[in-house]
Amino acid sequence: MHIPDGFLSGEAAALGGVVAATGLAVCVRRAGAEGRERDLPIAGLAGAFFLVGDAPMFPITVGTQGHLLGGTLAVALLGPWVGAITIAVVCAVQALALGDGGVTALGLNIVDLALVPAFVGYPLLLALRRLLPTTVSGLATACGLAAAVDVLLAAGIFVAMFALGAVVPIDLRALAASTLGAYAVIAVIEGVITALIVRALLGVRPDLVRVAEPLRRRRQARALAPRGEVAR
């Protein structure tokens, strides 16, 4: 879902750059305010994982490719701010070093792939976390559902970008059908993969899952309850 150079107008690319820069500035400021330096090594490992995981791509139609996104998994593990920054760095490396997405369209790609999960997907994930049971299965399900919705939302925004800013002749109906159809399948795959990864991490290293804080508190309360009863 990387937009190449030359398909969208200069105005659209400039607007995307401004929105991306503003959104990332907010993420950097909020991440700094949280002071979670211990997340940085994890962010580096996550960035490498997403760079490799997003690498397999297949053409859908003119101007678009299919691949896993990983934005929801990033914000689930690292929180919305560091997660968005991590995916933005991955987008930059893909554009500058791997040729995945145009350099002039980098801002638009960051908005769609990094900022949407942070500013839309993460609140959705928190809402699902409140609705579902505070268990490993409940949290993994919430992450999987949020990931699937994020993929579909990103695909819809991608098509909207072309509808509003395309400068080359493109059959928007065919683009929408092929992109949304392909990413409906990818949404299911990404949702399942995200849920499985979160569930596995919760079993061995729940401290690596930022969104699992309520589950960790519940486990700690259960662990301390017998001691309190003994003390009484």
Side-chain angles (χ1 to χ4, degrees), residues 89-106:
V89 171
V90 170
C91 287
V93 172
Q94 289 174 328
L96 298 174
L98 303 178
D100 295 333
V103 175
T104 60
L106 180 58

Side-chain angles (χ1 to χ4, degrees), residues 41-116:
I42 301 173
L45 292 173
F49 172 79
F50 293 128
L51 190 61
V52 174
D54 292 352
M57 298 189 183
F58 55 91
I60 295 175
T61 186
V62 176
T64 181
Q65 299 168 314
H67 60 92
L68 299 175
L69 304 186
T72 303
L73 180 58
V75 300
L77 299 182
L78 302 166
W81 319 126
V82 178
I85 295 169
T86 300
I87 296 298
V89 171
V90 170
C91 287
V93 172
Q94 289 174 328
L96 298 174
L98 303 178
D100 295 333
V103 175
T104 60
L106 180 58
L108 292 169
N109 289 324
I110 287 176
V111 169
D112 204 17
L113 302 178
L115 298 186
V116 168

Side-chain angles (χ1 to χ4, degrees), residues 14-28:
L15 178 60
V18 171
V19 175
T22 303
L24 288 177
V26 172
C27 292
V28 170

Side-chain angles (χ1 to χ4, degrees), residues 7-227:
F7 279 76
L8 298 185
S9 66
E11 293 82 359
L15 178 60
V18 171
V19 175
T22 303
L24 288 177
V26 172
C27 292
V28 170
R29 184 170 66 251
R30 296 295 295 270
E34 290 182 347
R36 293 177 60 90
E37 289 81 4
R38 66 185 181 86
D39 286 341
L40 296 181
I42 301 173
L45 292 173
F49 172 79
F50 293 128
L51 190 61
V52 174
D54 292 352
M57 298 189 183
F58 55 91
I60 295 175
T61 186
V62 176
T64 181
Q65 299 168 314
H67 60 92
L68 299 175
L69 304 186
T72 303
L73 180 58
V75 300
L77 299 182
L78 302 166
W81 319 126
V82 178
I85 295 169
T86 300
I87 296 298
V89 171
V90 170
C91 287
V93 172
Q94 289 174 328
L96 298 174
L98 303 178
D100 295 333
V103 175
T104 60
L106 180 58
L108 292 169
N109 289 324
I110 287 176
V111 169
D112 204 17
L113 302 178
L115 298 186
V116 168
F119 290 95
V120 180
Y122 191 74
L124 173 62
L125 175 53
L126 296 184
L128 290 171
R129 188 182 67 181
R130 288 193 293 269
L131 291 174
L132 295 173
T134 308
T135 61
V136 170
S137 296
L139 184 57
T141 301
C143 292
L145 291 174
V149 172
D150 266 351
V151 169
L152 293 174
L153 179 59
I157 292 174
F158 175 89
V159 173
M161 289 177 178
F162 273 86
L164 296 175
V167 295
V168 295
I170 293 177
D171 186 341
L172 290 176
R173 182 174 298 180
L175 176 65
S178 59
T179 301
L180 296 177
Y183 274 95
V185 177
I186 292 174
V188 175
I189 296 172
E190 179 143 344
V192 171
I193 291 175
T194 299
L196 291 176
I197 291 176
V198 170
R199 185 180 180 87
L201 286 175
L202 290 174
V204 294
R205 287 291 303 274
D207 57 300
L208 296 181
V209 184
R210 177 77 178 275
V211 78
E213 185 61 33
L215 181 60
R216 290 195 294 271
R217 290 199 300 265
R218 184 174 180 179
R219 286 178 172 177
Q220 291 172 354
R222 287 180 175 178
L224 293 174
R227 299 179 184 177

